[in-house]
Amino acid sequence: MSGNPQYHITHRMVPLICQALIAAPEDETVWLEGLRMLANPKLKQALTLTSSIWLPLLLRGLETAKTLPVIISALNLLNHVAEILEPMKSCLLKPLRALGREKQFENLQELVRVVEKLDLTVWNNEKKPIGRPRSARTAPNSQANTPLPSGSEQTHAQKEQHPLLAEILAHNLPPKSRTVQQAWSQTLLSSAHDNPNIWLHNLYQATLEASNVPELVVASKLGPLIHEELFQTAFVKCYVQLETDQAFKDLVDNALACILKDPSVSQEITVVVLELMAFFNKDRREFGPMVHEAAKKCALENFDGALNSSLPGIVLWYAEQNAEAFPIQENIANLVETNISCLVLLTSLSGYDAAWSTLLWLEKDWNVEPEPIWITQLSHWQQALDSQDRLDQKSEGTTFSSFNTKMICYHALGCYQQGYELAQNLFEGLNDLDRRNTAHWATAAAWHMGDFETMADYLAFHPKGTSKSLYKAIIDVHNGQYASAFHHISKAQSLSYDEVQVQLDVGPQVAHRSLAKTELLVELQEVIQYKSQPELRDNLVKTWKTRFQKSHADPNTWLKRLELWTLACPPTTSGLQSCFIECAKHCESAGMHQAAENILKKITPAAPPLGCKVEYTRFRFEWKKAYQQHDLKEMDGILQRLIKHTQAYMEHIGVNQAELESQGLGLHPLTVLANCGPSDHQILSRRYFRIAEWTAALQGSDWITDDTSQVLKYTALASKIDDNWYAAGFALAERSLAIFEANDFSRSDPVAVSSYVVPAIRGLFLSARTKENPEFVIKALLRLVTLWFRFGESTAVLGEVENQLSLTPVDPWLSAIPQLIARLGTPHRDLQHTLINLLKSISSQYPHAVIWPLLTATQTSKVEHQEAARVIMSFICTMSDGIRLVDQAELVGKELIRTSASLMERWRGVIEKIIPRTELMETPWHEVPMIWAQDIQYLQAPETPDEEQFVQIFGEQLIQIDKSLRRYRSNKQISIVNYAYQELYKLYGDLEVQINQWKQPGSKLYLSSTAPRLLSLRDCVLTVPGQYDPNLKLDDQAFIDSFEPVVDILSSKQLPRKLVIRSYTADHTFLLKGNEDLRGDERIMQLFNLINTMLNHNSDAFSRNLHLLPYEVIPLSPSAGLVSWVSNTQQLQSMIMFNRAKNKQQSLNDKETASLLGYDPETFNPKRENPRFDPPAEMDKYDKLPIATKVQRLKACLAHSKQSDLKDVLWQKSPSSDIWIRRRTNFARTVGVSSFVGSIIGLGDRHGSNILIDQLTWGALHIDFGDLFNVAQERSFLPEKVPFRLTRMMTNAFELASRGGLEVPGTRGTFKQASLIVMNVLRDSRSTVLAMLEAFLYDPLLSWTIGPNDPSHADHGASHKTSAATEDKRKTTKRPPVQMHVVPQSLAPGSQGGTGSDIYDRIENSLITTYLETDSYMAKVSSGTGMTNSKALQVLSQIEKKLIGYHKDTEQPLTINRQVQALIEEATDLKNLSQGYVLGWIPQW
């Protein structure tokens, strides 16, 4: 057939037609003709083979946005290809049902024909089926009926099986399936030695066929990937069938044991059997003891090999089980090696920290010197060399192990000379096997030393592969044998392709080495071109430089690349010098000092020019070494040499040094460098920046009081000389402000403000304009906003701000929009005018980025904010489509706020605040009519059916109460108060009953009656909240298409709604929350995103993928907002509950509660207690207990279980052991990151319901940020004493080494390492974090005053064990459960109990003075902020104290390790865990 021209023509036609359709997506004529041609019967055979090409276009043609003729043509084509699409028709359901819901399409005959032909069930908008598919015409007794949509009548039989599934089973089930005995006799019991792949394939297929499960039987006909996924489930089904045939069951057990015992059986088969054993373990099923013993022995003994060979994750599981059961030296050593070997299969260093911590465990508890090769495999090169040297000193001669370890480490450290000399001395004395194992390192060392003859000798022993062919090509290029070189390059490229394909299955990081080789092969070809084609040399040098700058910063790969270039041109080639210098810097920072020094030697010219970059780089390396050694004399000498170096360069380019430095301070532009080029500017800017930095280091804190201001002058010069360099600009701002604050200059001092504040603002603007470092941008903007509004009344400052705003693009400001809008209400008119102009500029380019924050600002109570926001929204209205955008935003915002809290809920809240708590007259009854005046007025004009219904039922009653209270204002009759109280009390009860009905599972709201205007919204130019991306084109944004008409009500306290907003690209699910201010949560998510940016710029954090898990928060008003729905998550507490319910261990809950509260665990039952169980009363008694008694009770509570529920769930829910390792690692890391970020910002109330676990990745996600800034720790009743949640249930889910042999679990391992890294990042970026938090706390729109002083206000934290009793208590209470809104006097703004001096006295007298001595950021910004809330200053001071390293009452800052250790000890201390609200926090979980 392949020679038939007709065949080629028809099969080529389909791609050509599809290409035309893709090229003209909006051209109706092209689409009509293209769809018509595809429906040609002559093309049907070609369509069968090319469905992946035309099917996506057919689906696009069925979109409701297409015109009617195109849709009809698409339906005709679909009718034509129905037989082809039969196996994949499920993908057609969504577009066909979308058509069916549209009134204009539901009666199309083409649609009806397609539905009936494909046997699909499609409904119209009234939930009536379209057409009559075959499944609807089945016999009355048939169960193959498609379920009707929700709300339609359907029988139980109709629910049992989907017709599509029924049809598949009917056509594919064999008439008679094999029995288990038949299936396994021919497969499992046969020899496993012949061909492992065929043996496994036959076993998979036979097991699925014999499983007696129709779906699995049908799946047996699918491919091997499906077989492998379903094999374990099918095996369990088969094994259960053998319960009645014990003899054959014993044969199966014996066969499995034999496979596991036989070392000659393929490892692939052995791993499958071991994973099967693990699956049985997860399913709580058992094989015979013989099989278990064989599996354990196999896993622990049959997988020996080189440490660099990969091990399956299941072996690690067995090794951990064995080490946990028998923690002896031998087992822990085996666990170390297993962890190291498993690293090959894992990505993102998933097992690195676990392996290293296990090694430390072995070293500490058994005083065992770690094997140098272990340390080598964990990339601690210098430590491995030191360990090997110590080992060599104890032994005579040099072993192969020692030689191999040293060669690996020398290569990794770039110490090629040592490696070359070692190989020269010892390589010849090795046997052939050892030579093959070390030839790679010896060959590389000889290459880097330029000894190509020796390199060829070593290469003879190099194993075949990409590296060997590459090295051969290098030798050929050096010898000028280009034809042979091209041959070896071609061979190496072919081999590298195969290597990459194999390694990509393992992970991208593993494949990186082979990918790096392919880059080297490309550049080796270019080296040949460079040598043979001189005209290409300039272009090749530019290409190499560009490629180098964009490549992954790996020093070993870079060193190889530089060595390749030297085959073509000398290292001193001007175009490549910057690449060599950059590589040297990277080697120096990576600890490869010798490699860095060797590079500098290579590129140092024979006669260094003035201002030589190589010499400057050497100065930096020498300074770093002297600084680390605290050698002040050497540091001063290096500084003087740098100054002379700079002076000589200025003389060379004709710049007068004195004149240049005289223009350093002040705002006047430089004129001395007018004739200098950009490179001269960059060179001088960097030199002066280092001079300033090093001068400040030598002077210590005295540089601030230096009369000559040398440091500030040099910094200002660096910033002026190169006004595009963000680092100099930010340093100028920091140092200017430091001098301003240290000298106590006043904000009203115009000279000081002009001399220090204005340059600082200019430097921050310069930093904000950079595109190189996002962290610098957000940090600069936050500091800028603070300075702008602190000093904005100064004419000089305001003038500088306006000038810099004209030079700065609006893009950077997008990350600070919440902070800008929060300042709109400033009373300073000029300030407000400038700010409004800035927001107008942002709006002119990105109106969708500001529309939602502006909408929220219009809802605030401050008139200034409202008016300023309206001005900007009016400006947006003048833009194209601006009026529609604003109108739609106001409509959607208003209706969503209405949906978030019904009129019934709002009135319940109003009444709740009015009803007296203790005495009748404590309520100012005469003020009530004014309090609810707007709410009463709203009753006169309800806007929705739901509101009309409320007014009909309760409106008259409320109006009568209002009238009576208005009379009370004039006559003060107590009878009126009694009447009003009784009526309100009764009304509250009625409302509570109605609202409690919504707490039933499955409760829903219908937008047609709640917010009908949302359903009528069409042709929307408004983007889905939180989905606007300024980096995308406007046409690619997610615009609102429609709203899901049914809204789910969740049964938590505030009854949030689950809302779906549809866009043209996807459906977006949100949690719509009412009666809650989400602006604080929005700022916390902003902080989380900033911290993620900082973590991404830290190599240790990036390699481990350390990150927080933020989500979108979109405030709509001060009392409502949207939170993006986080799918695939489950509450930590719920996971434990469900696990216990599944294992029928619910009685443990009551026993634990009984032990905590002092009851008998054997008889306690909160549901049957008489009198009824009262959690608040129990907590009141518990609070009065001595701490020793609380600890004793918590210990008794913990004794009821092993606290392994979370660990068990993690293991049981992981499809494979490799996924289990990754999930466990990710859980420990995300818990570590979130815990220590939470401890810094004082995040409390971390009960199990406020921590969600992603069920796919096992990342820990925190929600509910109501208790911030140590609120939970400062309350008087049941305060939280722990900095974060780290219970035994959580630490038991970490790897064994994180708890094995430790009194304090979590102080070693993955969690600890993640904690150290994140704390290091936070402390290094202290000023950034504080700038963000300062912007939060001084945000005029946010109130950080502490609310409830009682943990019982958070009913979402109530234990599942007491929730039923709590509900019963509420039902029987004598008056409505009014929520307490109590603000502690000591914390209330303006209260006498909380004055600033009182707060400072409680924190080591003068806090500001203390911090000033430690270079405190807060000491610099606290004075003159205009912020009268002393609590805010106290909070910021506490946070800064943590970021400096202080902990509790320590007099000196702690190291990062000691600080992290102290916090972990505090979090796991039973004394602290026992003191909180234990019924809600549940410390035993």
Side-chain angles (χ1 to χ4, degrees), residues 70 94 201 338 436 616 619 634 817 1103 1191 1248 1272 1317 1327 1437:
V70 172
K94 187 172 181 179
H201 173 75
T338 306
R436 283 194 294 273
Y616 169 65
F619 287 154
E634 179 65 18
I817 285 176
S1103 63
V1191 173
I1317 293 170
S1327 62
S1437 301

Side-chain angles (χ1 to χ4, degrees), residues 879-1109:
M879 299 162 52
S880 174
D881 271 338
I883 295 177
R884 288 172 62 204
L885 178 65
V886 171
D887 288 347
Q888 289 175 1
E890 291 181 335
L891 168 63
V892 172
K894 180 180 179 181
E895 295 303 307
L896 288 179
I897 293 170
R898 188 199 310 278
T899 307
S900 69
S902 66
L903 197 55
M904 188 182 302
E905 292 169 281
R906 296 204 296 271
W907 267 105
R908 182 188 64 169
V910 170
I911 297 173
E912 184 179 82
K913 294 176 183 177
I914 292 172
I915 292 182
R917 297 175 175 84
T918 54
E919 297 181 2
L920 183 64
M921 298 308 295
E922 75 177 48
T923 298
W925 294 100
H926 61 285
E927 296 178 3
V928 170
M930 292 184 293
I931 293 173
W932 67 20
Q934 289 185 346
D935 300 285
I936 289 291
Q937 185 178 359
Y938 191 82
L939 295 176
Q940 310 297 327
E943 299 180 0
T944 68
D946 281 354
E947 292 177 355
E948 290 176 358
Q949 184 180 13
F950 175 84
V951 171
Q952 290 174 3
I953 300 173
F954 302 106
E956 185 61 30
Q957 187 177 359
L958 284 166
I959 290 172
Q960 291 301 322
I961 296 171
D962 179 67
K963 289 180 179 179
S964 63
L965 288 175
R966 290 182 183 277
R967 291 199 307 272
Y968 172 74
R969 292 176 63 184
S970 58
N971 58 29
K972 304 295 183 181
Q973 293 181 2
I974 194 65
S975 60
I976 295 178
V977 171
N978 286 324
Y979 163 77
Y981 172 75
Q982 292 174 2
E983 289 297 311
L984 286 174
Y985 176 81
K986 177 184 175 183
L987 182 58
Y988 185 95
D990 293 340
L991 295 177
E992 187 76 4
V993 169
Q994 294 284 337
I995 292 171
N996 281 338
Q997 292 179 5
W998 291 349
K999 294 183 179 180
Q1000 300 299 320
S1003 298
K1004 300 180 184 301
L1005 287 177
Y1006 296 91
L1007 292 183
S1008 56
S1009 57
T1010 303
R1013 296 177 68 188
L1014 288 179
L1015 294 179
S1016 62
L1017 197 64
R1018 290 290 182 273
D1019 193 21
C1020 202
V1021 296
L1022 182 68
T1023 55
V1024 176
Q1027 298 301 310
Y1028 177 72
D1029 184 353
N1031 298 313
L1032 293 178
K1033 295 180 181 178
L1034 192 60
D1035 292 341
D1036 297 331
Q1037 301 290 347
F1039 291 99
I1040 295 176
D1041 179 29
S1042 62
F1043 290 80
E1044 185 74 36
V1046 180
V1047 177
D1048 294 322
I1049 301 177
L1050 306 187
S1051 58
S1052 57
K1053 178 182 177 182
Q1054 298 290 354
L1055 296 173
R1057 282 62 157 152
K1058 184 181 179 183
L1059 173 78
V1060 177
I1061 303 178
R1062 297 168 178 158
S1063 73
Y1064 293 103
T1065 56
D1067 290 348
H1068 306 272
T1069 306
F1070 293 93
L1071 193 67
L1072 177 60
K1073 306 185 79 172
N1075 301 315
E1076 201 166 334
D1077 191 349
L1078 295 181
R1079 290 175 296 178
D1081 290 55
E1082 179 195 31
R1083 306 300 200 272
I1084 293 299
M1085 290 302 109
Q1086 195 180 14
L1087 173 65
F1088 281 10
N1089 284 314
L1090 172 64
I1091 292 174
N1092 279 342
T1093 300
M1094 296 188 298
L1095 290 172
N1096 283 336
H1097 284 84
N1098 179 277
S1099 59
D1100 288 332
F1102 181 78
S1103 63
R1104 289 170 173 80
N1105 193 25
L1106 298 187
H1107 62 285
L1108 293 160
L1109 297 173

Side-chain angles (χ1 to χ4, degrees), residues 370-426:
E371 294 286 341
I373 193 63
W374 294 350
I375 307 173
T376 301
Q377 291 296 324
L378 294 172
S379 305
H380 291 261
W381 315 115
Q382 190 59 53
Q383 192 172 340
L385 276 176
D386 296 340
S387 177
Q388 188 63 60
D389 287 339
R390 290 194 299 269
L391 201 62
D392 289 347
Q393 291 173 4
K394 299 176 184 178
S395 60
E396 297 180 1
T398 303
T399 64
F400 167 73
S401 175
S402 171
F403 174 71
N404 185 47
T405 299
K406 287 184 175 181
M407 290 298 294
I408 294 172
C409 293
Y410 285 146
H411 181 84
L413 291 170
C415 300
Y416 300 113
Q417 183 172 349
Q418 287 95 321
Y420 173 73
E421 293 172 354
L422 185 65
Q424 288 282 75
N425 293 331
L426 300 176

Side-chain angles (χ1 to χ4, degrees), residues 412-414 416 553-560 562 579-599 621 624:
L413 291 170
Y416 300 113
D554 177 59
N556 292 103
T557 303
W558 278 4
L559 286 170
K560 291 181 177 66
L562 300 185
C579 300
F580 279 85
I581 291 175
E582 192 63 33
C583 183
K585 291 178 185 177
H586 200 68
C587 288
E588 180 69 21
S589 63
M592 301 167 63
H593 308 298
Q594 183 176 326
E597 183 59 32
N598 289 337
I599 291 173
F621 290 174
K624 179 182 177 182

